[in-house]
Amino acid sequence: MDASSLSRIGLAGLAVMGQNLALNIAEKGFPISVYNRTASKVDETLSRAQSEGPFSLTGQYSPRDFVLSIQRPRSIIILVKAGNPVDQTISALTEFMEPGDTIIDGGNEWYQNTERRIQQVADKGILYLGMGVSGGEEGARNGPSLMPGGSFEAYKNIESVLKSVAAQVDDGPCVTYIGEGGSGNFVKMVHNGIEYGDMQLISEAYDVLKNVGGLSNSELAEIFGEWNRGELESFLVEITSDIFKVKDSLVDGDLVDKILDKTGMKGTGKWTVQQAAELSVAAPTIAASLDCRYLSGLKEERESAAEILKEAGLEEEVGSVKSGVDKKRLIDDVRKALAVFLDRIKKAYQRNPNLASLVVDPEFAREMVQRQAAWRRVVGLAISAGISTPGMCASLAYFDTYRRARLPANLVQAQRDLFGAHTYERTDRPGAFHTEWTKLARKSSAGTFS
């Protein structure tokens, strides 16, 4: 092909995310080639490029034609399902790629798979990036947050493209080179895990406000909209407000009330909890959110349990609690318990990049002290009403554990030493110690009764 007709970049995998990112790239002025194993997806993308553009986007129908349509050194984004489909796509494309070309995996992939693939394609001289893409379908089309990790040379080859298509905020585009290996996927994994926690906390806030506070969906839409204009401004709070406004097109009422209470997931939250455990890092809010998704899947069991416990005499506490609730105070308490402060998190780590925990940042510490009473009231009220708030409870337990200078872990260590001779340390002198606990306890008991 004539060099002037070659595309600046390629994208393989044209489900909605792939299509939207390809159109975003084309709209920003970068000629792009697209490919999908199913030809109809290529046709669909071409049609969208004409109707939404026209944009400089060309469709290819074979791996060979697709690869050869991109200027050297080639940069090819793949957006296919994680796991084997990624390996299959890489195999199909690298047959026609050359040393110096780059593959960029934009899916939610386990970071160790990315590190394995980096080594595999390196044998052919091909560069590799694992790039987290955040923002969903709308973000992919209009401006995602991008987290590329792997080959720095590969990143520099497409830096101008990524900075143009990423979301633009006050301090620049939402993209930065994360680091080597699977670091980009690792950051996206943790990002998604945090998102699991955020979504769980928001759902708990909704549950308390609706079932204890008695708020209607229209009131909830107004409240979340107001919160989004203040300190809780975030994508999740904004879309939550929108969700409460949508009417059901099939029957009377609001759509949110007709949705089955079973939550899906694609694995990144589970990976985050697994990796936290591997690194001995406490992540109780994320773990609680994951447990809640598992429990939500037990719909039939939960319905059966509710019926059996009702027959056994378990009474609903919501009604009696609701009658004595100060609605205005409850709304304000939930707001304080839900506070996110995303901009302040960034500033805290700018002040101290080695910050061990946000809890010990002076500004955050002040906020936590000021808000903890409201947080405890919400959790206490929910418990009294029989409303489960595992995310809020786990977060509060973490705070109450982290802030204590001394924990009952001394007893746990004593237990471990008694049954397993695991030894313990003392507070008043260095070294490891072991005690014959049972022998001494029996001797002490014998002395007591003699």
mmCIF file with all atom_site columns, all heavy atoms in Angstrom, residues 4 95 144 153 344 440:
data_model
loop_
_atom_site.group_PDB
_atom_site.id
_atom_site.type_symbol
_atom_site.label_atom_id
_atom_site.label_alt_id
_atom_site.label_comp_id
_atom_site.label_asym_id
_atom_site.label_entity_id
_atom_site.label_seq_id
_atom_site.pdbx_PDB_ins_code
_atom_site.Cartn_x
_atom_site.Cartn_y
_atom_site.Cartn_z
_atom_site.occupancy
_atom_site.B_iso_or_equiv
_atom_site.pdbx_formal_charge
_atom_site.auth_seq_id
_atom_site.auth_comp_id
_atom_site.auth_asym_id
_atom_site.auth_atom_id
_atom_site.pdbx_PDB_model_num
ATOM 1  N N   . SER A 1 4   ? 1.158   6.946   2.141  1.00 0.00 ? 4   SER A N   1
ATOM 2  C CA  . SER A 1 4   ? 0.240   8.030   2.487  1.00 0.00 ? 4   SER A CA  1
ATOM 3  C C   . SER A 1 4   ? -1.156  7.523   2.816  1.00 0.00 ? 4   SER A C   1
ATOM 4  O O   . SER A 1 4   ? -1.952  8.229   3.441  1.00 0.00 ? 4   SER A O   1
ATOM 5  C CB  . SER A 1 4   ? 0.169   9.048   1.351  1.00 0.00 ? 4   SER A CB  1
ATOM 6  O OG  . SER A 1 4   ? -0.345  8.437   0.179  1.00 0.00 ? 4   SER A OG  1
ATOM 7  N N   . GLU A 1 95  ? 1.544   -12.951 13.347 1.00 0.00 ? 95  GLU A N   1
ATOM 8  C CA  . GLU A 1 95  ? 2.018   -13.673 12.163 1.00 0.00 ? 95  GLU A CA  1
ATOM 9  C C   . GLU A 1 95  ? 2.444   -12.708 11.065 1.00 0.00 ? 95  GLU A C   1
ATOM 10 O O   . GLU A 1 95  ? 3.313   -13.019 10.243 1.00 0.00 ? 95  GLU A O   1
ATOM 11 C CB  . GLU A 1 95  ? 0.913   -14.608 11.654 1.00 0.00 ? 95  GLU A CB  1
ATOM 12 C CG  . GLU A 1 95  ? 1.323   -15.485 10.485 1.00 0.00 ? 95  GLU A CG  1
ATOM 13 C CD  . GLU A 1 95  ? 0.236   -16.440 10.048 1.00 0.00 ? 95  GLU A CD  1
ATOM 14 O OE1 . GLU A 1 95  ? -0.753  -16.615 10.806 1.00 0.00 ? 95  GLU A OE1 1
ATOM 15 O OE2 . GLU A 1 95  ? 0.359   -17.000 8.940  1.00 0.00 ? 95  GLU A OE2 1
ATOM 16 N N   . PRO A 1 144 ? -11.797 8.505   27.833 1.00 0.00 ? 144 PRO A N   1
ATOM 17 C CA  . PRO A 1 144 ? -11.564 7.587   28.939 1.00 0.00 ? 144 PRO A CA  1
ATOM 18 C C   . PRO A 1 144 ? -10.370 7.997   29.784 1.00 0.00 ? 144 PRO A C   1
ATOM 19 O O   . PRO A 1 144 ? -9.603  8.897   29.419 1.00 0.00 ? 144 PRO A O   1
ATOM 20 C CB  . PRO A 1 144 ? -11.276 6.264   28.222 1.00 0.00 ? 144 PRO A CB  1
ATOM 21 C CG  . PRO A 1 144 ? -10.559 6.713   26.964 1.00 0.00 ? 144 PRO A CG  1
ATOM 22 C CD  . PRO A 1 144 ? -11.184 8.033   26.577 1.00 0.00 ? 144 PRO A CD  1
ATOM 23 N N   . GLU A 1 153 ? 9.035   2.471   25.266 1.00 0.00 ? 153 GLU A N   1
ATOM 24 C CA  . GLU A 1 153 ? 9.204   2.812   23.848 1.00 0.00 ? 153 GLU A CA  1
ATOM 25 C C   . GLU A 1 153 ? 7.860   2.720   23.128 1.00 0.00 ? 153 GLU A C   1
ATOM 26 O O   . GLU A 1 153 ? 7.515   3.586   22.316 1.00 0.00 ? 153 GLU A O   1
ATOM 27 C CB  . GLU A 1 153 ? 10.213  1.868   23.199 1.00 0.00 ? 153 GLU A CB  1
ATOM 28 C CG  . GLU A 1 153 ? 10.455  2.132   21.720 1.00 0.00 ? 153 GLU A CG  1
ATOM 29 C CD  . GLU A 1 153 ? 11.372  1.115   21.079 1.00 0.00 ? 153 GLU A CD  1
ATOM 30 O OE1 . GLU A 1 153 ? 12.001  0.316   21.803 1.00 0.00 ? 153 GLU A OE1 1
ATOM 31 O OE2 . GLU A 1 153 ? 11.457  1.112   19.820 1.00 0.00 ? 153 GLU A OE2 1
ATOM 32 N N   . ARG A 1 344 ? -9.051  15.533  47.143 1.00 0.00 ? 344 ARG A N   1
ATOM 33 C CA  . ARG A 1 344 ? -8.218  15.636  48.341 1.00 0.00 ? 344 ARG A CA  1
ATOM 34 C C   . ARG A 1 344 ? -7.288  14.424  48.479 1.00 0.00 ? 344 ARG A C   1
ATOM 35 O O   . ARG A 1 344 ? -6.222  14.532  49.079 1.00 0.00 ? 344 ARG A O   1
ATOM 36 C CB  . ARG A 1 344 ? -9.097  15.778  49.584 1.00 0.00 ? 344 ARG A CB  1
ATOM 37 C CG  . ARG A 1 344 ? -9.972  17.027  49.531 1.00 0.00 ? 344 ARG A CG  1
ATOM 38 C CD  . ARG A 1 344 ? -10.692 17.234  50.836 1.00 0.00 ? 344 ARG A CD  1
ATOM 39 N NE  . ARG A 1 344 ? -11.885 18.040  50.639 1.00 0.00 ? 344 ARG A NE  1
ATOM 40 C CZ  . ARG A 1 344 ? -12.718 18.372  51.621 1.00 0.00 ? 344 ARG A CZ  1
ATOM 41 N NH1 . ARG A 1 344 ? -12.469 17.981  52.845 1.00 0.00 ? 344 ARG A NH1 1
ATOM 42 N NH2 . ARG A 1 344 ? -13.791 19.088  51.381 1.00 0.00 ? 344 ARG A NH2 1
ATOM 43 N N   . LEU A 1 440 ? 1.859   -24.394 82.527 1.00 0.00 ? 440 LEU A N   1
ATOM 44 C CA  . LEU A 1 440 ? 1.869   -23.353 83.555 1.00 0.00 ? 440 LEU A CA  1
ATOM 45 C C   . LEU A 1 440 ? 0.470   -23.072 84.086 1.00 0.00 ? 440 LEU A C   1
ATOM 46 O O   . LEU A 1 440 ? 0.277   -22.809 85.290 1.00 0.00 ? 440 LEU A O   1
ATOM 47 C CB  . LEU A 1 440 ? 2.490   -22.074 83.012 1.00 0.00 ? 440 LEU A CB  1
ATOM 48 C CG  . LEU A 1 440 ? 4.008   -22.133 82.716 1.00 0.00 ? 440 LEU A CG  1
ATOM 49 C CD1 . LEU A 1 440 ? 4.465   -20.874 82.015 1.00 0.00 ? 440 LEU A CD1 1
ATOM 50 C CD2 . LEU A 1 440 ? 4.785   -22.335 84.026 1.00 0.00 ? 440 LEU A CD2 1
#
